[in-house]
Amino acid sequence: MSSPSFPSPIGALRDEFLGGPGYLAACTVGLPPRPTRDALIADAESSAAGRVDVPAYTAAAERSRALFAQLVGVDPARVAIGSQTSPFAALIAAALPDGAEVLVPEGDFSSLLLPFAHSTRRLRVRAVPLAALADAVRPDTALVAFSLVQSATGDVADLPAITEAARRHGARTLCDGAQAVGWLPVSADAVDALVCHAYKWLCAPRGVAFLAVSEDFAREIPPLFAGWYAGADPWTSCYGHDLPLATDATRLDISPAWQAFLGAEQSLALFAASDPAAIHAHDTGLARHCRELLSLPEPAIASAIVSAPDPDGDGLARLVQAGITASGRAGRVRLGFHVFNDLEDVDRAVRALRG
């Protein structure tokens, strides 16, 4: 196999990161690029000096909404903003009929699954292996909820098969893109709803999440967490109860964590200006090279995450001892290769895991 290349868009993007060497944990938390770091530091210093700029915060939140919409190929009016995955999943759960079936992959991330398991709608959550998800959709399935890329294993869901099966049986689809958007090109139009926390592969501060939803499904979702920012005009929606909400997906907004969005705008702008195909080729190329050197099987769909059994945590311990930041999940060691990594990161990780 030829060594993974670094196309010029990747090189330019990679230069914006300071701490990439030895950091193989984008699947846990992404690194802030220079513009994000600079924006957060400048705001902290300005605020400490008594110069708090609230209009700048809300402008950053709106620009972040537009940038995420650009990344997933939809109009910003179809994107709600919030802080975490689970509140958005809870909104989707509240849109389902009482007792409805929700089909999910076994072992998917709990922030996506628990809002359905504990919904007051008394939903029936049925779990099957990820590879069997499309075949497991039934006529009584109301929703298929799944992560596009599995957190513990890095396995990529067969999105076309799942969405085709859901449409055939009249089921809605909710896709969690937190482990995908940023390295895997994703179109929100492929599903009814796409939720994504941006602090992993999009390298934004924690506390920035998005829900991209189809226009017809948005009308079915109750605005349970509506506050002033969900109003038709947020700045005239600060007092009282008899106030109109926005008529598009922004009625599902959760009041933004201002400083987090100030940083998120910078991170999202970098990825929105880069070539998604080049990022995908770079990240999956490094991961593929790592698997080859470790004699690990290549997944059916290329992934930027390398995961291997590590029941005793010995592999993770060797990585840490070698100065490599990685993670362990569900009895496995997990390596995430992103734009700030290169072939030297692969070689260091392989040497460490071989002991």
Side-chain angles (χ1 to χ4, degrees):
M1 171 187 169
S2 59
S3 297
S5 60
F6 299 100
S8 56
I10 295 302
L13 180 57
R14 187 167 176 261
D15 289 343
E16 298 292 347
F17 293 88
L18 292 172
Y23 189 84
L24 300 178
C27 41
T28 302
V29 57
L31 297 178
R34 296 171 192 264
T36 299
R37 178 205 60 180
D38 294 346
L40 293 174
I41 291 174
D43 175 69
E45 291 178 344
S46 179
S47 298
R51 299 187 300 274
V52 178
D53 191 347
V54 173
Y57 291 146
T58 54
E62 291 308 312
R63 287 192 292 266
S64 296
R65 186 201 309 271
L67 287 165
F68 181 79
Q70 178 184 338
L71 282 164
V72 298
V74 298
D75 189 277
R78 287 179 49 191
V79 176
I81 60 175
S83 59
Q84 306 292 341
T85 297
S86 52
F88 281 138
L91 287 181
I92 303 299
L96 301 178
D98 285 348
E101 178 182 276
V102 179
L103 179 65
V104 303
E106 293 175 347
D108 210 326
F109 199 73
S110 58
S111 291
L112 178 66
L113 304 187
L114 290 182
F116 298 102
H118 297 282
S119 170
T120 57
R121 297 287 192 182
R122 300 181 299 277
L123 301 173
R124 296 177 289 115
V125 178
R126 181 166 61 95
V128 300
L130 177 66
L133 197 62
D135 291 336
V137 183
R138 306 185 300 204
D140 63 340
T141 302
L143 177 76
V144 185
F146 61 100
S147 292
L148 184 52
V149 179
Q150 292 294 297
S151 174
T153 64
D155 290 340
V156 181
D158 187 346
L159 185 62
I162 294 168
T163 54
E164 193 281 326
R167 283 192 296 269
R168 188 169 67 252
H169 291 288
R172 295 284 191 184
T173 47
L174 168 63
C175 178
D176 184 347
Q179 291 287 5
V181 182
W183 73 265
L184 179 65
V186 177
S187 171
D189 278 331
V191 293
D192 293 293
L194 173 74
V195 63
C196 180
H197 202 306
Y199 77 102
K200 294 181 183 291
W201 299 89
L202 288 170
C203 300
R206 186 169 169 84
V208 174
F210 301 94
L211 175 68
V213 61
S214 66
E215 292 181 1
D216 64 319
F217 195 23
R219 289 189 287 269
E220 300 175 12
I221 301 173
L224 297 181
F225 307 124
W228 71 280
Y229 211 76
D233 178 7
W235 285 109
T236 62
S237 301
C238 297
Y239 303 99
H241 72 281
D242 190 16
L243 299 166
L245 296 182
T247 57
D248 52 27
T250 65
R251 66 195 276 272
L252 305 175
D253 280 356
I254 301 170
S255 183
W258 280 336
Q259 290 83 357
F261 275 89
L262 200 67
E265 177 193 356
Q266 304 300 321
S267 296
L268 293 168
L270 287 176
F271 282 93
S274 299
D275 180 354
I279 294 174
H280 179 268
H282 172 96
D283 291 9
T284 58
L286 291 177
R288 184 180 304 111
H289 189 54
C290 182
R291 289 190 201 95
E292 286 186 349
L293 293 177
L294 292 173
S295 299
L296 294 173
E298 188 65 18
I301 303 175
S303 177
I305 298 174
V306 175
S307 176
D310 188 31
D312 299 323
D314 293 340
L316 182 59
R318 289 195 295 273
L319 289 165
V320 171
Q321 188 175 15
I324 297 170
T325 302
S327 54
R329 294 291 186 273
R332 305 178 69 85
V333 64
R334 187 178 65 166
L335 306 172
F337 293 95
H338 205 12
V339 295
F340 39 71
N341 298 125
D342 59 18
L343 288 170
E344 176 58 27
D345 291 310
V346 175
D347 293 340
R348 288 180 61 189
V350 170
R351 288 195 301 268
L353 288 172
R354 284 176 173 171

